[in-house]
Amino acid sequence: QVQLVESGGGLVQAGDSLRLSCAASARSFSPYRMGWFRQAPGKEREVVARIAWATGISYYADSVKGRFTISRDHAKNTVYLQMNSLKPEDTAVYYCAVQPSLGDVTYPYWGQGTQVTVSS
């Protein structure tokens, strides 16, 4: 099994930056993809960014493109989300998740989430 632990959330003001981290604990960690998701109050969960573990090819939601950057550190089994120019609408609980292989329909492993609150 894979365990994921997010960290780095907090309360910031609009325009500030945060860096989220997600550390994976597994005996042999070589997933197809890792992703960041978020869920704001009253909203559905949405994909923020995802990255192919092997190649580093990434995807971003239009709402964060140009402001957020996803990256990974193979040696640390960790994925990061650098968030710049934060806006109040970025306020949400952020989760990381693992897609073990391309054939997996859903992400079976999730972290506990970390709260990001952006004040205006």
Side-chain angles (χ1 to χ4, degrees):
Q1 294 185 354
V2 177
Q3 293 184 339
L4 304 173
V5 180
E6 301 102 331
S7 62
L11 174 62
V12 298
Q13 294 183 336
D16 286 351
S17 298
L18 282 174
R19 188 193 191 197
L20 305 183
S21 299
C22 175
S25 178
R27 290 171 292 179
S28 180
F29 192 67
S30 185
Y32 171 69
R33 181 186 293 154
M34 294 190 69
W36 284 99
F37 300 76
R38 69 185 182 187
Q39 187 165 20
K43 303 292 185 180
E44 294 185 2
R45 185 178 63 195
E46 64 175 340
V47 177
V48 177
R50 56 193 180 209
I51 186 169
W53 191 253
T55 65
I57 297 174
S58 59
Y59 160 86
Y60 297 93
D62 289 340
S63 60
V64 306
K65 193 172 298 182
R67 299 188 297 120
F68 291 9
T69 302
I70 189 170
S71 62
R72 82 276 192 243
D73 187 328
H74 290 108
K76 296 181 178 180
N77 289 349
T78 301
V79 64
Y80 304 95
L81 185 67
Q82 178 67 44
M83 305 185 294
N84 298 326
S85 301
L86 284 163
K87 304 175 181 179
E89 49 263 45
D90 294 319
T91 295
V93 177
Y94 285 71
Y95 302 88
C96 66
V98 175
Q99 183 181 7
S101 68
L102 185 60
D104 291 295
V105 178
T106 62
Y107 287 71
Y109 305 110
W110 293 80
Q112 81 287 351
T114 184
Q115 177 71 47
V116 173
T117 302
V118 184
S119 63
S120 60

